[in-house]
Amino acid sequence: MHQALPYRTWVPTTGGGSSAGLSSATIEPSDGPMNPGVGMKDVTCVTKMVSENAVIVFGRRGCCMCHVVMRLLLGLGVNPTVFEVDEEDEAAVVDELSRVIAGEDAKEGRPQFPAVFMGGQLFGGLERVMATHISGELVPILKKAGALWL
Amino acid sequence: MNSSSTHFVTSRRIGIYEPLHQISTWGESFKTNGCPNTSASTIAELEAKLDNQSEDTSHGTPGPSEKYDQEATKPVDKVQRRLAQNREAARKSRLRKKAYVQELESSRVKLMQLEQELERARQQGLYLGAGLDAGHLGFSGAVNSGIAAFEMEYGHWVEEQSSQICELRTALHAHISDVELRILVETAMNHYFNLFRMKATAAKADVFYMMSGMWKTSAERFFLWIGGFRPSELLKVLVPQLDPLTDQQILDVCNLRQSCQQAEDALTQGMEKLQQILAEAVAAGQLGEGSYIPQLATALEKLEAVVSFVNQADHLRQETLQQMVRILTIRQAARGLLALGEYFQRLRALSSLWATRPREPA
């Protein structure tokens, strides 16, 4: 299985509450459950993460649909970053993501979790990922976003 | 439905019938026998009503014997007119009776159908009441109307499916044009999409019912995966039926099988995680203390996710079907849909055969 190099590797922080960085949720294929990310109170990093990651998945903590997206992407050889959203941060994160989306394509509206961003843009939810995978369109898009290298 | 209202209904219907110039035995015996019985007096009453509606000014409700006497003394043309009115009244009466009987018959058929559906539903252990006495299989407490509605709709869906399959079979043998075949293919596809829509609605009513495939026959349930058939299985059944395929098609089908399997695996793993989370929620805290309402409240919240899984699984089935149709020629697609339809018919037949197989007495 081919490993993708993310645009930038995040330096994991040791403690919680640090505003400078965020614990990277880079998943190793051998991992079972996802490593919990540190909950971020300062959500402006969200915008940064979207632009700096080839593929990033935003999902509620413990959400099983998010798990499905993850397993699908992993199965393709993608190394997606995962941002687990705590309940109390949810509104703030959605707002921030809406701002990111509004920049490109206003008709997307408020994102629903799980939300997959590729190459800095909102790609969609689980349904879109499934549909494009079945139609064979997903892998070329992933390659174009730099998430998959042949 | 009481008889008086029926009479009113049927007498209104008489207006649409053209007058027939026939004398049936009922009319004859009514006139010649002259012996009053309940039906005769009723007919006489109705006759009177009809007389009043017509322009005839003759009044009174003569009993049969009295009328017989009067006929002999009246002038001939009046007798003739009276006879004609008798015939007319008797005819209308017969038509009313016929309509009423037909209504009774169709109601009886409907009642039998409903009884059968109810019996079948009971045997399948249809929806148990939401209360705590839900442990008795086959005891239908409060019936979930959303599920009851789905079951009936599904019955019609299967019937429609059968007729569509017949149509496909006939069309393929008759070598109709591709344009016409495309219509049949799209109809068949939309029929499946309708089922997925029905399932989505029913999942909100009772997701466990959907997950257990309760509306399906036993053999179909044996192959159940998240409330329906496995998309990868579907491809395994279909592909051998579609020979010959071009090289490009073989490649596309291969890719589709792989993507389908990957998507299926991802959903399966998500489902397993959900089961784990649910089990943990139910088992939270001390088991054995006897009080567990808060744990179940938490578990209940998690069940919303199960609805999403049913929907996502159906979405995958839909996407797989659509991609198959894209890869194939229209004729191949028609053959594929026919094969798929018959495959499920065979499974259903297998269930019946199994249920009715001769067994040694216990």
Side-chain angles (χ1 to χ4, degrees), chain A residues 124-144:
Chain A
L126 176 60
E127 260 187 42
R128 181 135 194 252
V129 172
M130 288 273 191
T132 49
H133 185 45
I134 292 295
S135 65
E137 295 164 328
L138 184 60
V139 168
I141 294 174
L142 285 169
K143 286 186 184 165
K144 199 169 142 202

Side-chain angles (χ1 to χ4, degrees), chain B residues 38-52 61:
Chain B
T38 351
S39 54
S41 55
T42 319
I43 301 300
E45 277 170 38
L46 294 164
E47 232 191 285
K49 274 189 202 152
L50 287 169
D51 282 346
N52 294 335
T61 313

Side-chain angles (χ1 to χ4, degrees), chain B residues 10-145:
Chain B
T10 50
S11 51
R12 256 184 262 127
R13 284 197 207 153
I14 298 306
I16 66 169
Y17 292 117
E18 290 300 305
L20 304 164
H21 302 286
Q22 276 176 332
I23 302 173
S24 85
T25 49
W26 191 21
E28 288 291 341
S29 58
F30 168 62
K31 271 194 318 195
T32 53
N33 288 352
C35 50
N37 51 29
T38 351
S39 54
S41 55
T42 319
I43 301 300
E45 277 170 38
L46 294 164
E47 232 191 285
K49 274 189 202 152
L50 287 169
D51 282 346
N52 294 335
Q53 288 165 16
S54 69
E55 280 150 36
D56 190 4
T57 53
S58 67
H59 54 85
T61 313
S65 47
E66 205 184 340
K67 201 161 30 110
Y68 193 73
D69 286 337
Q70 284 185 344
E71 275 174 352
T73 54
K74 280 184 180 172
V76 173
D77 59 336
K78 274 197 185 169
V79 168
Q80 288 303 320
R81 192 161 62 157
R82 195 72 186 125
L83 288 175
Q85 283 167 356
N86 278 358
R87 282 196 292 275
E88 191 57 34
R91 189 186 60 80
K92 286 181 180 171
S93 198
R94 282 192 300 279
L95 289 168
R96 275 197 302 276
K97 183 181 179 191
K98 191 174 166 199
Y100 178 47
V101 167
Q102 273 172 357
E103 253 191 69
L104 279 180
E105 287 285 321
S106 67
S107 298
R108 188 171 143 267
V109 168
K110 251 191 225 174
L111 186 64
M112 274 169 47
Q113 279 175 350
L114 281 172
E115 275 175 358
Q116 272 176 14
E117 290 202 54
L118 200 59
E119 189 53 56
R120 191 174 65 85
R122 281 225 176 89
Q123 279 169 6
Q124 281 194 5
L126 173 59
Y127 189 70
L128 317 163
L132 291 171
D133 58 339
H136 306 287
L137 257 175
F139 170 77
S140 50
V143 177
N144 183 325
S145 64

Side-chain angles (χ1 to χ4, degrees), chain B residues 1-270:
Chain B
M1 169 174 79
N2 54 48
S3 51
S4 57
S5 66
T6 311
H7 281 312
F8 283 126
V9 168
T10 50
S11 51
R12 256 184 262 127
R13 284 197 207 153
I14 298 306
I16 66 169
Y17 292 117
E18 290 300 305
L20 304 164
H21 302 286
Q22 276 176 332
I23 302 173
S24 85
T25 49
W26 191 21
E28 288 291 341
S29 58
F30 168 62
K31 271 194 318 195
T32 53
N33 288 352
C35 50
N37 51 29
T38 351
S39 54
S41 55
T42 319
I43 301 300
E45 277 170 38
L46 294 164
E47 232 191 285
K49 274 189 202 152
L50 287 169
D51 282 346
N52 294 335
Q53 288 165 16
S54 69
E55 280 150 36
D56 190 4
T57 53
S58 67
H59 54 85
T61 313
S65 47
E66 205 184 340
K67 201 161 30 110
Y68 193 73
D69 286 337
Q70 284 185 344
E71 275 174 352
T73 54
K74 280 184 180 172
V76 173
D77 59 336
K78 274 197 185 169
V79 168
Q80 288 303 320
R81 192 161 62 157
R82 195 72 186 125
L83 288 175
Q85 283 167 356
N86 278 358
R87 282 196 292 275
E88 191 57 34
R91 189 186 60 80
K92 286 181 180 171
S93 198
R94 282 192 300 279
L95 289 168
R96 275 197 302 276
K97 183 181 179 191
K98 191 174 166 199
Y100 178 47
V101 167
Q102 273 172 357
E103 253 191 69
L104 279 180
E105 287 285 321
S106 67
S107 298
R108 188 171 143 267
V109 168
K110 251 191 225 174
L111 186 64
M112 274 169 47
Q113 279 175 350
L114 281 172
E115 275 175 358
Q116 272 176 14
E117 290 202 54
L118 200 59
E119 189 53 56
R120 191 174 65 85
R122 281 225 176 89
Q123 279 169 6
Q124 281 194 5
L126 173 59
Y127 189 70
L128 317 163
L132 291 171
D133 58 339
H136 306 287
L137 257 175
F139 170 77
S140 50
V143 177
N144 183 325
S145 64
I147 295 300
F150 173 75
E151 284 233 322
M152 299 217 182
E153 265 192 281
Y154 180 70
H156 301 143
W157 187 91
V158 171
E159 281 170 20
E160 178 63 31
Q161 176 81 339
S162 298
S163 74
Q164 280 182 9
I165 288 170
C166 283
E167 247 191 296
L168 272 171
R169 202 178 284 129
T170 317
L172 282 167
H173 286 139
H175 301 291
I176 68 171
S177 73
D178 275 6
V179 172
E180 289 166 312
L181 208 50
R182 180 169 292 278
I183 295 172
L184 286 180
V185 165
E186 275 174 20
T187 308
M189 295 288 277
N190 284 330
H191 198 56
Y192 280 114
F193 303 160
N194 282 341
L195 179 61
F196 299 145
R197 262 193 293 275
M198 282 158 55
K199 284 172 71 182
T201 310
K204 291 188 202 130
D206 184 357
V207 73
F208 285 140
Y209 178 95
M210 302 310 291
M211 282 298 297
S212 315
M214 295 306 298
W215 71 97
K216 290 174 177 279
T217 59
S218 45
E220 287 174 287
R221 266 183 270 140
F222 182 65
F223 293 99
L224 202 69
W225 176 79
I226 311 189
F229 59 82
R230 261 182 202 280
S232 57
E233 270 305 311
L234 173 129
L235 292 175
K236 282 188 202 138
V237 164
L238 281 195
V239 171
Q241 308 284 331
L242 299 170
D243 284 338
L245 293 170
T246 66
D247 285 343
Q248 182 62 43
Q249 283 180 325
I250 292 172
L251 182 63
D252 288 338
V253 165
C254 211
N255 288 333
L256 177 58
R257 280 172 94 153
Q258 191 181 32
S259 318
C260 193
Q261 192 65 56
Q262 284 164 335
E264 226 175 86
D265 289 344
L267 277 171
T268 302
Q269 284 166 336

